[in-house]
Amino acid sequence: MYTETSKMTSYDRNAIALAVGLSCLAGYVDASGFLATGGVFVSFMSGNSTRLSVALVNNRYQYAYLVFGVIFLFVVGVIVGTVVSRQAGDRRKTWVLMIVTILLFIAAICHTIGQTYASTAFMVLAMGAENAVFQRDGEVSIGLTYMTGTLVKLGQQIAAIMFGGSKDTWWPYALHWLGLVSGAILGAWAHGALLALTLWPAVLAALFFCACSAKLNIATSQRTGQN
């Protein structure tokens, strides 16, 4: 069930900044995977679902199998991330990001040695797991690899301003979308410029966000201890 506490604006600025950064990472990886596979998304499953449907109608069964496999692996990644999140307690963000980093590390190795399918599989698993970073009451509170819901909420917040609503609630959603777009631009550029090394910046970024999450956990624990 959607509640006020599931809004992105219910988080503090540090958490919002982390979410924007992770969406940038998702955009980078998605653009890289899209170009490496010749048109399959590794984080945007709505697009893949449409591609699967069109492929089935056009009797492109081999391509349909590939896309279905990607969708299946994404769900597996979500399951892995959610299980880790539930087991990790208050440090769930950090532990989930550790899993994301490890999966992207393996994907980068596979991509470097020319194993495109294996690299794609681990990218998809990583992107599925990443969506478990922000959860409340067992539900995803901030979707990190897809933007349809974010754009809907952006539109709703702008509309709310017209009826006297707060003028400070739209910008997190706008930044969230810009984060993914910016990451995708960087990923598309890196695919042409870095070639076999394209995914290594993503690994470093994931490691950085993991460290940021750990630092936020420490700061939160210290504030809780002082209170």
Side-chain angles (χ1 to χ4, degrees), residues 91-99 210-211 213-215 217:
R91 299 182 181 275
R92 58 183 176 274
K93 291 183 179 65
T94 303
W95 280 97
V96 171
L97 286 173
M98 286 178 62
I99 297 298
C210 187
S213 176
K215 186 175 180 179
N217 280 334

Side-chain angles (χ1 to χ4, degrees), residues 48-206:
N48 281 342
S49 297
T50 300
R51 287 176 178 274
L52 171 64
S53 302
V54 173
L56 289 172
V57 170
N58 291 328
N59 299 320
R60 297 178 59 197
Y61 297 117
Q62 185 174 358
Y63 181 76
Y65 293 147
L66 171 63
V67 177
F68 179 79
V70 168
I71 294 172
F72 174 79
L73 286 176
F74 184 85
V75 175
V76 171
V78 174
I79 294 171
V80 171
T82 301
V83 169
V84 171
S85 175
R86 293 196 173 195
Q87 294 295 318
D90 292 340
R91 299 182 181 275
R92 58 183 176 274
K93 291 183 179 65
T94 303
W95 280 97
V96 171
L97 286 173
M98 286 178 62
I99 297 298
V100 171
T101 303
I102 292 170
L103 291 170
L104 286 178
F105 178 75
I106 298 172
I109 292 175
C110 293
H111 186 72
T112 300
I113 62 177
Q115 299 297 317
T116 302
Y117 286 115
S119 175
T120 301
F122 283 104
M123 278 191 280
V124 173
L125 288 169
M127 293 298 95
E130 184 179 304
N131 282 288
V133 172
F134 288 94
Q135 292 194 57
R136 282 180 174 169
D137 300 323
E139 299 289 337
V140 173
S141 52
I142 302 178
L144 298 173
T145 68
Y146 47 92
M147 287 296 123
T148 301
T150 297
L151 291 174
V152 168
K153 291 174 185 176
L154 172 61
Q156 289 175 333
Q157 296 305 315
I158 294 174
I161 294 173
M162 301 177 186
F163 293 91
S166 174
K167 297 180 179 179
D168 297 324
T169 56
W170 64 272
W171 62 267
Y173 302 109
L175 284 180
H176 197 205
W177 176 77
L178 287 172
L180 185 134
V181 172
S182 299
I185 292 172
L186 289 172
W189 171 83
H191 179 78
L194 302 181
L195 302 176
L197 302 179
T198 300
L199 290 179
W200 289 107
V203 175
L204 294 177

